[in-house]
Amino acid sequence: MSRNGAFQLARQVMKVIADSHGFDKVAEKVTVVAADPGRVKFEMPVAEEHTNRGGTLHGGMTATLVDMLTTVALMTTEGGSPGVSVDMNITYMKAALPGETITIDAQVLKAGRTLGFTTCDIKNEKGALIAQGRDRKSVV
C-alpha cells in the first residue's frame, strides 16, 4: 500500500468510527495527520468528556485510543485486516488536561498470519510521553 493509500484508508476508517452510534463514538474527535503503511499518526483535542474525576485524560480513554488506533494502523499493512485485541499493556506516565491536543502514533511492529504486534505512543503538545501501549491482536 502506498503512503497516500494508507492515509486515505485511515481517514475512511476514522470517518466510519466517528459516524458510529456505539462506544466507538468516543473517538469522533480523533483526526488522521499522517500515514504510512503500518504506521498512522493522529491528533485529538482532550475534551471534558474524555476526563476522569480528577479532570485529566481518563485511563480508559487512553486504553481505548490504543486499542482502536493500533487497529487502524494494522489495517494499513499489506493484507489490511483489522485485529481483535488479545493482550494489551499500557504504561501511564503523565496527565493530559482538557484543552490540550495530544498526538497518537500507532505503529505495527509485526503483522503475521494470525497475530499482529502493535505499539502506540501518546504525547502532549510539548512532545512529552503521556502513555505508551502495546497491543497484540488476533488478525481477523
Side-chain angles (χ1 to χ4, degrees):
M1 178 176 297
S2 70
R3 174 179 278 181
N4 187 51
F7 184 77
Q8 294 304 322
L9 176 62
R11 286 185 60 194
Q12 288 171 359
V13 172
M14 291 312 298
K15 180 166 179 12
V16 169
I17 289 170
D19 291 343
S20 72
H21 299 289
F23 181 75
D24 287 353
K25 190 118 180 118
V26 299
E28 71 182 338
K29 294 182 178 164
V30 175
T31 57
V32 178
V33 294
D36 285 303
R39 185 173 192 175
V40 184
K41 293 183 181 181
F42 306 87
E43 285 184 348
M44 185 190 84
V46 178
E48 292 291 330
E49 68 219 38
H50 304 134
T51 62
N52 57 27
R53 289 182 188 214
T56 63
L57 181 63
H58 194 288
M61 182 64 188
T62 302
T64 298
L65 291 171
V66 170
D67 183 22
M68 285 181 171
L69 303 182
T70 56
T71 294
V72 175
L74 189 60
M75 292 175 72
T76 67
T77 61
E78 194 65 38
S81 296
V84 177
S85 296
V86 295
D87 182 41
M88 190 165 58
N89 174 290
I90 297 148
T91 303
Y92 301 91
M93 291 167 255
K94 195 171 189 70
L97 301 171
E100 291 183 331
T101 297
I102 57 173
T103 59
I104 306 106
D105 184 359
Q107 184 174 0
V108 177
L109 301 173
K110 180 181 180 189
R113 219 172 12 97
T114 58
L115 290 174
F117 298 86
T118 64
T119 187
C120 185
D121 288 344
I122 302 175
K123 296 180 178 180
N124 66 15
E125 293 170 346
K126 295 177 182 175
L129 197 57
I130 292 170
Q132 185 174 64
R134 295 229 178 216
D135 194 357
R136 182 172 41 188
K137 296 176 180 289
S138 175
V139 178
V140 292

